Amino acid sequence: MELFVLWDIDHTLIENAGVSKEIYAAAFRGFSGREPTEPARTEGRTDRLIIRDMFVREGLPVPDWPFVETALAQAGEARLEELRRRGTALPGVHDALKAASAQTGWVSSVLTGNISANPRVKLAAFGLDSLLDLPVGAYGADAELRPHLVAVARGRAQRRHGVSAGISTVLVGDTPRDVEAALTTGSRILAVASGIHTQEELTAAGAVEVLPDLSDTKRVLGILESFAGH
């Protein structure tokens, strides 16, 4: 059975230990010449919205997006070793990704609010990049709103692998925004309470399948298999 699995990255696959917010702060500093007065507010939003919010809150003009994207990519690349030193892949992630990548008829990629350069850094830091089909993922430069990224990823999977337009799609993520993106696009959702949101909060947002984390590979694969063909 065909299945398109789209994994969130931060707090779903990895713990970035504050490095992500340092990336946003470095990009902000490069344009403004000073530190932001408060950290970036991420909460499952795309990089376009996160950066815009930072500059608006600081009362500064928002730089043109192509320059922002370059600055974010440079800041991310510069922090690869710091991420590897401070961060970690979350429990069970390597085994879950490996198992999903081995399933016949499945395409396993990412859906993230980060620009495409930085997920590659984050995943490579913990040896996870080779377990995902990153070219068919959807990234923060592709759209402002997370639900719109689902269609981007589906289109890429169709062009690259010839999957059907109606392929069963499941998002795996840790925030209510991941749940919203799934529910508003006809996708399924496997929510994990490995970030700041509790299992109760994710259930209240509309997720039927909620796990504390991805450590139980057999259960993760069983839930994903139940979504195939639906």
Side-chain angles (χ1 to χ4, degrees):
M1 301 290 283
E2 283 191 337
L3 186 68
F4 192 19
V5 187
L6 292 167
W7 309 78
D8 176 51
I9 296 177
D10 291 308
H11 312 300
T12 298
L13 299 181
I14 73 160
E15 170 53 55
N16 66 62
V19 172
S20 277
K21 293 194 176 183
E22 292 171 11
I23 290 171
Y24 296 121
F28 177 89
R29 186 168 58 248
F31 290 107
S32 67
R34 62 175 176 82
E35 297 291 336
T37 57
E38 59 181 283
R41 299 172 184 169
T42 52
E43 301 166 349
R45 294 184 300 166
T46 64
D47 281 356
R48 287 180 180 270
L49 294 182
I50 292 167
I51 287 290
R52 180 184 302 165
D53 178 62
M54 287 184 76
F55 279 88
V56 169
R57 282 189 288 115
E58 301 284 347
L60 298 173
V62 181
D64 290 339
W65 173 250
F67 299 110
V68 172
E69 186 171 10
T70 298
L72 288 171
Q74 290 173 344
E77 184 178 5
R79 285 161 178 77
L80 171 61
E81 292 305 321
E82 186 69 7
L83 179 62
R84 186 174 286 145
R85 183 179 69 83
R86 288 163 43 193
T88 187
L90 288 170
V93 162
H94 185 276
D95 289 344
L97 292 182
K98 185 175 181 180
S101 70
Q103 298 298 307
T104 301
W106 289 22
V107 179
S108 184
S109 189
V110 298
L111 189 145
T112 171
N114 290 176
I115 62 166
S116 61
N118 288 342
R120 294 178 184 277
V121 169
K122 291 177 178 181
L123 294 167
F126 309 110
L128 303 175
D129 51 324
S130 64
L131 300 175
L132 291 155
D133 189 348
L134 295 178
V136 302
Y139 304 93
D142 295 323
E144 288 193 353
L145 300 178
R146 200 174 193 92
H148 297 168
L149 296 177
V150 177
V152 172
R154 283 176 174 155
R156 287 174 176 158
Q158 289 167 35
R159 292 189 295 272
R160 185 174 175 86
H161 297 298
V163 302
S164 63
I167 186 172
S168 296
T169 303
V170 53
L171 276 58
V172 184
D174 67 290
T175 74
R177 281 192 170 87
D178 294 301
V179 179
E180 176 196 20
L183 297 181
T184 58
T185 60
S187 306
R188 307 301 288 271
I189 177 72
L190 170 53
V192 287
S194 44
I196 64 172
H197 297 283
T198 66
Q199 290 181 261
E200 292 75 18
E201 288 174 317
L202 295 169
T203 299
V208 175
E209 298 288 355
V210 184
L211 296 176
D213 54 34
L214 297 170
S215 59
D216 187 340
T217 304
K218 184 177 180 180
R219 189 173 180 194
V220 170
L221 263 289
I223 292 171
L224 294 178
E225 286 172 350
S226 75
F227 293 151
H230 294 283

